[in-house]
């Protein structure tokens, strides 16, 4: 029994080292003054100073955050409103809403982006705008995850029970929705928003197909400068990983607080 457990731990350590090795090497390389032998030589923050003073990289980060926040907000509001109406007023229509929200899981993101680009590009409508097109594709892309998170949150707090209790206290349904239901499911909404935002922030394929060089994010910046300075790019990769890590850490902290509230 002890031998089996020890082998299990050894196997987990091997996998952990295998997964973290590229990140560790990238981090060390970004601080190395020079690395032409087995071990790096010197320590410098020059490459971080260089990349953090590059206006194009900073603009790429801001664009990436912007194009991640807008679709998440639009999808969250639309899915929350639709599910609230279905759960409270039209429970029989929930299967239909579930079908529409989960349908994008069967469509590859690259195929979706290519199809939308071929359909609306040059149409002369507002949908021909590359940024609008990208926002719409992202909304469809994150809809299944948003739907599942919002649905679980609404059922976890017993939405109908909350509304009935609020009506007994004299509150109207809309007021109860804004002041009772939404605050009760806010941790779940934040988790869904941050997880979707983290995924969109790291996207490269879809934005490359639709926006190309018209809307350069940090990922596009890395691709365009991949052959310029490897150490500066390593510093940029570390910065982007830290941003993504901060988003994921926020999700983890919200989930932990939600569990503590549930226990109390």
């Amino acid at each position: 029994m002890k031998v089996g457990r020890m082998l299990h731990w050894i196997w987990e350590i091997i996998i952990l080292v295998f997964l973290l090795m590229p990140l560790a090497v990238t981090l060390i390389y970004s601080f190395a003054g020079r690395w032409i032998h087995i071990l790096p030589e010197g320590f410098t923050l020059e490459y971080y100073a260089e990349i953090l003073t590059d206006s194009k990289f900073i603009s790429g980060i801001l664009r990436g955050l912007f194009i991640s926040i807008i679709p998440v907000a639009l999808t969250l509001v639309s899915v929350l409103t639709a599910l609230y109406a279905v759960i409270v007023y039209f429970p029989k229509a929930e299967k239909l809403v579930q079908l529409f929200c989960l349908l994008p899981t069967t469509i590859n993101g690259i195929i979706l982006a290519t199809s939308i680009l071929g359909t609306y590009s040059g149409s002369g409508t507002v949908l021909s705008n590359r940024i609008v097109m990208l926002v719409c594709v992202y909304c469809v892309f994150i809809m299944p995850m948003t739907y599942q998170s919002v649905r679980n949150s609404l059922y976890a707090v017993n939405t109908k029970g909350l509304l009935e209790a609020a009506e007994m206290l004299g509150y109207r349904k809309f007021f109860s929705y804004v002041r009772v239901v939404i605050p009760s499911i806010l941790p779940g909404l934040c988790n869904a928003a941050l997880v979707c935002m983290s995924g969109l922030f790291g996207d490269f394929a879809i934005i490359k197909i639709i926006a190309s060089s018209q809307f350069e994010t940090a990922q596009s910046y890395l691709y365009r400068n991949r052959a310029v300075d490897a150490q500066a790019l390593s510093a940029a990769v570390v910065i982007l990983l830290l941003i993504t890590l901060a988003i994921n850490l926020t999700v983890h902290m919200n989930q932990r607080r939600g569990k503590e509230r549930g226990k109390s």
Side-chain angles (χ1 to χ4, degrees), residues 67-84:
I67 206 61
S68 302
I69 292 173
I70 299 300
V72 168
L74 291 175
T75 306
L76 201 60
V77 170
S78 59
V79 171
L80 175 60
T81 305
L83 275 178
Y84 174 78

Side-chain angles (χ1 to χ4, degrees), residues 11-224:
W11 178 244
E12 285 191 349
I13 291 172
I14 292 173
I15 294 176
L16 183 64
V17 170
F18 177 77
L19 294 175
L20 292 181
M21 183 65 72
L23 301 179
V25 172
T26 302
L27 178 63
I28 296 172
Y29 189 58
S30 66
F31 286 110
R34 188 174 63 168
W35 198 345
I36 58 176
H37 300 291
I38 296 178
L39 296 177
E41 300 176 7
F43 174 86
T44 181
L45 295 175
E46 173 188 352
Y47 302 105
Y48 283 92
E50 177 184 341
I51 203 68
L52 289 174
T53 54
D54 189 340
S55 59
K56 293 183 178 180
F57 178 71
I58 301 300
S59 299
I61 292 177
L62 296 177
R63 290 193 192 101
L65 292 174
F66 170 78
I67 206 61
S68 302
I69 292 173
I70 299 300
V72 168
L74 291 175
T75 306
L76 201 60
V77 170
S78 59
V79 171
L80 175 60
T81 305
L83 275 178
Y84 174 78
V86 164
I87 291 174
V88 177
Y89 301 105
F90 312 105
K92 293 183 179 180
E94 184 177 355
K95 294 294 183 182
L96 185 61
V97 174
Q98 183 181 32
L99 175 64
F100 280 113
C101 289
L102 297 182
L103 190 61
T105 58
T106 63
I107 306 173
N108 184 276
I110 297 177
I111 296 175
L112 175 65
T114 306
S115 302
I116 290 179
L117 183 64
T119 303
Y120 296 105
S121 179
S123 62
T125 64
V126 66
L127 293 175
S128 63
N129 184 285
R130 295 301 179 96
I131 307 304
V132 175
M133 205 182 297
L134 184 61
V135 169
C136 293
V137 172
Y138 277 166
C139 287
V140 174
F141 186 70
I142 64 174
M143 189 176 292
M145 185 182 298
T146 304
Y147 165 80
Q148 201 61 47
S149 299
V150 172
R151 182 183 182 277
N152 292 342
S153 299
L154 287 173
Y155 276 105
V157 299
N158 189 7
T159 303
K160 286 187 176 180
L162 282 177
L163 291 176
E164 291 173 359
E167 287 180 356
M168 291 177 63
L169 296 175
Y171 294 120
R172 295 183 179 180
K173 285 188 176 181
F174 180 76
F175 183 84
S176 303
Y177 170 67
V178 176
R179 298 295 299 273
V180 178
V181 175
I182 292 180
S184 299
I185 64 174
L186 194 58
L189 297 181
C190 291
N191 289 341
L194 289 170
V195 169
C196 293
M197 182 180 168
S198 176
L200 295 182
F201 182 75
D203 171 65
F204 169 73
I206 295 177
I207 198 171
K208 179 66 176 175
I209 293 172
I210 293 180
S212 187
S213 58
Q214 297 183 18
F215 194 78
E216 187 180 68
T217 61
Q219 307 295 337
S220 303
Y221 173 90
L222 292 179
Y223 180 79
R224 182 170 59 83

Side-chain angles (χ1 to χ4, degrees), residues 231-256:
Q231 286 178 277
L233 288 182
S234 297
V237 169
V238 171
I239 292 171
L240 294 178
L241 286 174
L242 289 176
I243 294 174
T244 307
L245 179 63
I247 296 173
N248 292 328
L249 184 61
T250 305
V251 174
H252 176 72
M253 292 176 64
N254 283 338
Q255 289 177 342
R256 188 174 180 180

